[in-house]
Amino acid sequence: MNVRITGTGSSLPGKILTNAELETLIDTTDEWITTRTGIKERRIAADGEYTSTFAAEAARRALAMAGVEPEEIDLIILGTVTPDFPFPSTACIVQDLIGATNATAFDLSAACSGFIFGLSIAEKYIRSGAAKKILVIGSEILSRIVDWQDRNTCVLFGDGAGAVVLEASEGDHSLLSTHTFSNGTYWNLLYQPGSGSRNPATDSRTIDERRIYLTMEGNDVFKHAVRAMEEAAVKALDANGLTTSDISLLIPHQANQRIIDATAKRLGLDSGRLFTNLHRYGNTSSASIPIALDEANRQGVLKPDSKLMLVAFGGGFTYGSALINW
Ligand code: UT7
């Protein structure tokens, strides 16, 4: 049984926060952010907008493109590190919002690799016959866990969601492979110290000592990200007997233009075969790849039978790839 992406969707907050506006909030410059990251602006959720809000809208758009009714969905997998609540899963809230009454729903915690890990699980459900129609979503409101006093991190992240519908298919337009990896040695280079069981939100020190916010050793993460994304991409190529020259488009996790360029260079991919949108959205973690995939799809960039590579890296560390015959 093959696994086809039959619909893509995305949803972003309306509010745009530009580098120029950030210059008025913290000690930074548009020039620094642009040259070090490639980011020009990001979207920020408004009061009353939650991770489930954007996840549900992205899912509705993916379902509409696929021509699939919510009741037909067997499984909802939602990658997020910024759920609406610690529990229940945001996937269950999305199930309720979209009326996917016959689905099993759960969240997946793999940071920026959440969407690729979700695709990998969904692929196995479908190939085994356990499910026929699956929603895989990445959705984040990172603006609510970044420290707006920390210029090292707050300029990097943004909010939004992307989703795909996967269906069992007899044809060749299919996921060819997914590969997932973890390296827990480095869990503390990129994490949110507070609000879990070690530094509970119920302990006032978690707030007072600013442990509630995301923290990152940017330089170290940068080096690991480039090596890991190359490794994940090469694993996918080798598993399918392909080379870089067979790849029509690479959609990498959108964290930093320099990471993307360095990864592409190591793979021998020219910039014409790279899809990026991080200048408009910043790093949206698990949402970055499905948002970019939806934009590439709706812009007509993806041609039938072209080979599409998705590659991600994130906290954990986690990393992975998906190769698709579109
Ligand atoms: O999504 C999961 C994976 N995440 C990533 O892949 C992110 C990986 N890391 C990165 O993208 C980059 O490491 C950063 C963009 C975070 C930082 O870039 P960098 O080239 O590694 O800069 P740096 O950390 O070496 O900092 C250089 C300087 C420092 O000043 P000094 O110590 O050299 O005087 C920082 O204080 O830049 C300073 N700096 C800033 N200056 C202006 C840090 N943030 C800012 C800022 N504006 N926003």
Side-chain angles (χ1 to χ4, degrees):
M1 188 54 70
N2 278 333
V3 184
R4 185 172 192 179
I5 295 176
T6 55
T8 62
S10 56
S11 174
L12 289 133
K15 183 183 162 34
I16 296 171
L17 178 65
T18 64
N19 290 350
E21 287 170 277
L22 275 172
E23 286 180 352
T24 68
L25 301 174
I26 48 164
D27 180 18
T28 193
T29 60
D30 172 49
E31 200 263 334
W32 190 95
I33 301 171
T34 305
T35 55
R36 295 298 183 109
T37 73
I39 299 164
K40 296 298 285 184
E41 58 189 44
R42 67 288 292 143
R43 300 299 179 97
I44 304 292
D47 288 350
E49 291 177 331
Y50 315 114
T51 297
S52 59
T53 314
F54 301 106
E57 191 51 30
R60 286 188 197 101
R61 290 175 184 168
L63 287 166
M65 184 187 287
V68 169
E69 295 300 324
E71 300 82 4
E72 296 177 66
I73 293 293
D74 303 311
L75 178 63
I76 301 171
I77 305 173
L78 191 150
T80 189
V81 293
T82 51
D84 284 21
F85 309 106
F87 78 92
S89 71
T90 303
C92 283
I93 299 169
V94 172
Q95 175 191 22
D96 182 43
L97 286 171
I98 66 175
T101 45
N102 296 308
T104 297
F106 61 86
D107 286 0
L108 187 159
S109 177
C112 303
S113 308
F115 179 74
I116 297 294
F117 277 44
L119 275 187
S120 186
I121 296 170
E123 179 192 16
K124 289 161 183 68
Y125 262 85
I126 289 179
R127 289 201 198 278
S128 72
K132 287 198 164 55
K133 300 187 186 198
I134 301 180
L135 263 171
V136 180
I137 309 168
S139 185
E140 306 285 2
I141 301 199
L142 294 160
S143 63
R144 298 205 178 130
I145 65 162
V146 298
D147 183 348
W148 289 98
Q149 294 178 17
D150 176 14
R151 69 176 185 172
N152 289 293
T153 52
C154 75
V155 304
L156 305 172
F157 297 98
D159 304 336
V164 298
V165 174
L166 295 171
E167 294 189 61
S169 154
E170 302 283 346
D172 295 336
H173 304 283
S174 176
L175 272 179
L176 299 176
S177 66
T178 55
H179 288 88
T180 57
F181 309 89
S182 302
N183 185 349
T185 313
Y186 301 108
W187 66 266
N188 59 354
L189 293 186
L190 174 52
Y191 76 119
Q192 184 186 3
S195 86
S197 61
R198 291 208 195 184
N199 299 298
T202 46
D203 183 339
S204 60
R205 286 172 303 180
T206 301
I207 305 289
D208 296 345
E209 294 169 14
R210 307 189 80 74
R211 290 187 207 153
I212 201 80
Y213 301 113
L214 172 162
T215 169
M216 175 169 72
E217 299 296 332
N219 245 302
D220 287 339
V221 174
F222 188 114
K223 289 172 207 147
H224 285 283
V226 174
R227 281 196 293 266
M229 293 213 290
E230 180 195 16
E231 181 191 329
V234 167
K235 274 269 164 43
L237 292 172
D238 289 350
N240 292 282
L242 299 175
T243 65
T244 308
S245 60
D246 297 307
I247 301 302
S248 305
L249 195 70
L250 175 71
I251 301 183
H253 170 49
Q254 312 278 310
N256 185 321
Q257 190 63 46
R258 288 157 55 221
I259 293 177
I260 293 172
D261 292 342
T263 305
K265 192 172 170 202
R266 288 168 82 123
L267 290 169
L269 260 181
D270 51 276
S271 60
R273 289 185 285 159
L274 275 178
F275 191 90
T276 58
N277 60 8
L278 97 159
H279 55 292
R280 289 187 289 131
Y281 304 135
N283 180 347
T284 57
S285 190
S286 67
S288 91
I289 290 177
I291 292 171
L293 176 60
D294 183 47
E295 291 196 344
N297 192 18
R298 287 174 195 268
Q299 288 169 18
V301 176
L302 307 170
K303 305 288 180 225
D305 285 323
S306 60
K307 302 283 183 296
L308 170 66
M309 175 85 81
L310 312 179
V311 61
F313 175 85
F317 290 144
T318 56
Y319 53 108
S321 59
L323 192 62
I324 302 162
N325 185 45
W326 193 256

